[in-house]
Amino acid sequence: MSYMLPHLDSGFAVDQAILSEEERVVVLRFGHDWDPACMKMDETLFHTAEKIKNFAAIYLVDITEVPDFNTMYELYDPSTVMFFYRNKHIMIDLGTGNNNKINWPMTDKNEFIDIVETVYRGARKGRGLVVSPKDYSTKYKY
């Protein structure tokens, strides 16, 4: 479903997407369109895009086409989702230890909507770090 979502094909385009949104959260998915993990995440992004369009804008960035951010944001995972609000990176505490990004494919659409909504509400209040509505640590999986 990646072909249904807007792609950013340069570092300048990514910067402009982040800078141009004043009232909405910018959700950036870094990865490859051909990667199975990205395909799962893109499916979730596509199905939630219409529901969250009032408070979030979703863009896809190919990390080989736009390598500018790979070292800056440590984009080594197959699929990485990051959030920005008013030109500021919004971190989210998911219980995984990495507060900068979501680096696994999310398949539950309602969980993703909840996360984006939490990021939006926290960012509007001026918070740079928000706490996820669900704990994604592995301690509860045993």
Side-chain angles (χ1 to χ4, degrees), residues 21-76:
E21 283 295 341
E22 284 293 318
E23 295 301 318
R24 298 192 297 174
V25 171
V26 177
V27 180
L28 294 180
R29 194 274 289 146
F30 294 95
H32 299 103
D33 291 343
W34 49 262
D35 191 278
C38 282
M39 288 180 191
K40 287 181 186 173
M41 191 67 215
D42 290 348
E43 189 78 23
T44 304
L45 291 171
F46 172 70
H47 288 295
T48 58
E50 187 64 28
K51 294 175 183 153
I52 64 175
K53 70 179 180 184
N54 292 332
F55 56 91
I58 299 172
Y59 298 101
L60 308 182
V61 181
D62 190 311
I63 56 176
T64 48
E65 201 176 303
V66 186
D68 310 13
F69 304 100
N70 292 0
T71 52
M72 184 190 319
Y73 294 131
E74 299 173 356
L75 303 173
Y76 309 123

Side-chain angles (χ1 to χ4, degrees), residues 103-119:
N103 55 3
W104 69 91
M106 294 190 74
T107 52
D108 191 325
K109 296 161 187 64
N110 288 330
E111 278 181 22
F112 184 73
I113 291 171
D114 291 345
I115 287 174
V116 175
E117 193 174 347
T118 303
V119 168

